[in-house]
């Protein structure tokens, strides 16, 4: 029989949201400080946009991306887990043992998920929307693609490994710890239904990425994984 939690699930949800909002504010401040120190012109929006698209600032942008995602996603999740449990790693579902079988299954699911993601991305692009919405969403997609291309500027093997860590590995870990380790547990226990909890978490996960054309793909991949 399930025992009643010391802190209600709605309170847990609000605590987690509060920590994420605080993390967002702190990450924004840290980002401004780092950008000013490493690139400059942070208080001139036009010059700042130009500097952010300058390949010479690639490493600076990588550092900013790494630090901001760590503060925004990982730190709130760990603090939340520590509030809820004396063993935060256990609360977040982080295990010390490694399973090759589980890792292999994940790789197979990810590979198959690419096909599903591509199909849903194509489906999304076929959904009719107002022209001004379409222009705005495509502008966001282009800005994201441009920033990734700048960070993907690599001159050596070290640059390649660092870029791989910053763009692919670190954000995935930080985001998963927050959304699957912290938020999904709250949603599953609150709704008392595993699939409802997973679906809600996957939708929220996709929303925070502010990508219309990738929305369905991220929801589906979040559910499958």
């Amino acid at each position: 029989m399930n025992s009643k939690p010391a802190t209600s699930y709605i309170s847990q949800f609000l605590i987690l949201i509060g920590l994420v909002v605080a993390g967002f504010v702190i990450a924004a401040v840290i980002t401004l400080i780092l950008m000013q120190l490493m690139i400059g012109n942070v208080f001139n929006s036009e010059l700042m946009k130009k500097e952010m698209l300058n390949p010479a600032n690639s490493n600076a942008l990588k550092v900013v991306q790494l630090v901001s995602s760590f503060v925004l996603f990982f730190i709130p999740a760990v603090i939340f887990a520590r509030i809820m449990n004396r063993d935060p790693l256990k609360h977040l579902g982080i295990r010390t043992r490694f399973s090759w079988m589980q890792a292999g299954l994940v790789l197979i699911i990810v590979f198959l998920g690419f096909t599903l993601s591509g199909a849903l991305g194509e489906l999304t692009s076929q959904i009719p929307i107002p022209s001004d919405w379409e222009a705005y969403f495509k502008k966001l997609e282009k800005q994201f693609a441009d920033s990734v291309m700048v960070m993907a500027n690599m001159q050596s093997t070290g640059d390649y490994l660092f870029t791989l860590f910053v763009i692919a590995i670190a954000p995935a870990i930080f985001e998963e710890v927050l959304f699957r380790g912290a938020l999904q547990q709250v949603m599953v226990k609150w709704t008392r239904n595993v699939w409802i909890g997973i679906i809600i978490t996957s939708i929220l996960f996709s929303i925070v990425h502010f990508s219309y054309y990738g929305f369905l793909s991220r929801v589906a991949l979040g559910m499958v994984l």
Side-chain angles (χ1 to χ4, degrees):
M1 185 174 180
N2 294 329
S3 58
K4 188 175 181 180
T7 306
S8 68
Y9 295 122
I10 187 170
S11 296
Q12 291 184 33
F13 177 73
L14 292 175
I15 290 171
L16 181 57
I17 294 300
L19 290 170
V20 171
V21 171
F24 175 81
V25 173
I26 295 171
V29 172
I30 292 175
T31 296
L32 286 175
I33 293 173
L34 289 176
M35 293 287 275
Q36 181 62 34
L37 292 174
M38 302 176 75
I39 299 177
N41 300 317
V42 72
F43 298 109
N44 186 315
S45 60
E46 293 302 319
L47 287 176
M48 190 70 252
K49 290 178 182 178
K50 184 178 179 180
E51 294 294 341
M52 289 181 67
L53 295 177
N54 185 351
N57 295 321
S58 174
N59 287 332
L61 293 176
K62 293 173 193 174
V63 171
V64 170
Q65 165 70 18
L66 181 61
V67 173
S68 62
S69 62
F70 178 75
V71 174
L72 176 57
F73 297 112
F74 188 77
I75 294 298
V78 173
I79 294 175
F80 172 77
R82 182 63 185 84
I83 294 173
M84 295 297 117
N85 194 318
R86 291 183 178 181
D87 187 348
L89 295 183
K90 180 180 179 180
H91 185 85
L92 293 170
I94 298 176
R95 300 177 180 178
T96 56
R97 289 181 295 176
F98 180 80
S99 169
W100 283 105
M101 180 179 291
Q102 196 173 48
L105 287 173
V106 169
L107 289 175
I108 292 172
I109 292 171
V110 169
F111 179 76
L112 296 175
F114 283 137
T115 302
L116 174 64
S117 177
L120 289 173
E122 181 62 27
L123 173 63
T124 304
S125 67
Q126 299 302 317
I127 298 175
I129 57 175
S131 58
D132 53 338
W133 289 18
E134 182 179 6
Y136 176 72
F137 291 142
K138 287 185 175 180
K139 180 182 177 181
L140 290 180
E141 295 289 337
K142 185 178 184 305
Q143 289 175 346
F144 174 75
D146 289 343
S147 65
V148 170
M149 289 304 297
V150 172
M151 287 191 289
N153 181 46
M154 297 167 283
Q155 305 298 327
S156 65
T157 302
D159 278 350
Y160 170 76
L161 294 175
F162 184 49
T163 301
L164 182 65
F165 178 74
V166 170
I167 294 179
I169 299 175
I173 293 173
F174 299 157
E175 291 176 12
E176 288 302 302
V177 167
L178 174 64
F179 285 94
R180 317 303 169 190
L183 179 61
Q184 185 167 285
Q185 286 201 56
V186 175
M187 291 293 104
V188 168
K189 293 175 181 177
W190 191 2
T191 61
R192 299 182 181 179
N193 185 294
V194 173
W195 274 109
I196 292 177
I198 290 174
I199 291 170
I200 292 174
T201 303
S202 299
I203 291 173
L204 293 176
F205 173 77
S206 189
I207 287 174
V208 302
H209 284 82
F210 297 102
S211 171
Y212 169 76
Y213 292 104
F215 178 78
L216 292 179
S217 299
R218 285 190 177 89
V219 171
L221 287 175
M223 291 170 57
V224 170
L225 290 170

